[in-house]
Amino acid sequence: MNDITTLRRDLAAAYRLAALFGWDDTLYTHFSVRLPGDGEPRFLINPFGLFFEEIRASDLIVVDMHGKVVEGNADYNVAGFTIHSAVHMARDDAHCVIHTHTLAGMAVAAQDNGLLQLNQISTEFHGRLGYHAYEGVALDLDERARIQASLGDNIALLLRHHGLLSVGASVADAFYVMHYLNRACEIQLAATGGGQRCSEIPTHLAQHACEQLQGAEWQRQLIWQAWLRKLDRLDSSYRD
């Protein structure tokens, strides 16, 4: 496979996996991956109108930083363009951007204190999770500068009253980050809803565990390949 073929396959796989994990929101939310090459960034994103479970590699469209579709014959989610173009314009290392509206993610995004350090999974986001104030549906391109500032150099962003966003050097990285950010949110809801008082991990231990987990980031590719094998067993049409 050439690089672009692999990027198309991986991004389509991310959509299919998101549907499998129950992260989809009918036609809404969006994932993108920046295409290689010099000059102004261009990125792959989903065409508006397809369920995540339907998306194939060949369905993905290419959009430039001005919002022009330069490859493909479909429209895209305008709010998705605002969010994804903001990140791709500001972060050279954020080749893939994933945005979700999961129940757990949106619930934690509504809580005053955001993500709490309640478990080992949440420690991976200690000092690495940004917060962005809600401004309504992301249709105003002026919001891009504020999204960029809120994300900073973090690996993920909690969009207040909205949802979650993750970034990564590859689809595998960004998907891994989203998987465990969403899991941390699920655990938080389960723990805080159980009727007992919860204790947070002390800051020094959260930082220590975060550093330990960063040392195992090479394992993300192993996990990604396992997820691809799972998809291939279920339905390999995402590759088309």
Side-chain angles (χ1 to χ4, degrees), residues 125-154:
F125 301 95
H126 177 72
R128 306 173 82 196
L129 177 66
Y131 290 82
H132 181 67
Y134 186 65
E135 299 188 24
V137 180
L139 302 177
D140 183 358
L141 291 181
D142 288 344
E143 189 178 354
R144 292 193 293 194
R146 295 183 289 277
I147 292 172
Q148 292 163 355
S150 298
L151 177 62
D153 61 359
N154 292 302

Side-chain angles (χ1 to χ4, degrees), residues 43-63:
F43 57 90
L44 289 166
I45 198 166
N46 56 315
F48 192 60
L50 293 180
F51 283 141
F52 283 11
E53 66 192 42
E54 299 177 289
I55 292 177
R56 303 169 301 168
S58 59
D59 293 320
L60 299 166
I61 61 175
V62 180
V63 180

Side-chain angles (χ1 to χ4, degrees), residues 79-119:
F81 170 75
T82 300
I83 294 168
H84 289 266
S85 62
V87 178
H88 289 303
M89 290 168 67
R91 288 278 298 271
D92 289 340
D93 62 322
H95 294 283
C96 181
V97 182
I98 291 180
H99 170 51
T100 62
H101 293 166
T102 64
L103 176 62
M106 294 183 78
V108 171
Q111 295 180 343
D112 286 346
N113 294 323
L115 186 69
L116 305 175
Q117 291 298 310
L118 296 179
N119 57 83

Side-chain angles (χ1 to χ4, degrees), residues 189-234:
L189 292 185
T192 56
Q196 294 191 43
R197 181 179 177 182
C198 296
S199 61
E200 290 197 65
I201 298 171
T203 299
H204 72 285
L205 288 178
Q207 180 61 35
H208 176 58
C210 181
E211 292 168 358
Q212 290 178 310
L213 291 167
Q214 288 179 62
E217 287 180 350
W218 61 271
Q219 297 176 16
R220 294 177 181 180
Q221 285 296 330
L222 295 178
I223 296 171
W224 182 248
Q225 293 304 318
W227 275 329
L228 290 184
R229 292 194 301 272
K230 182 179 185 67
L231 272 186
D232 285 334
R233 289 193 298 271
L234 296 172

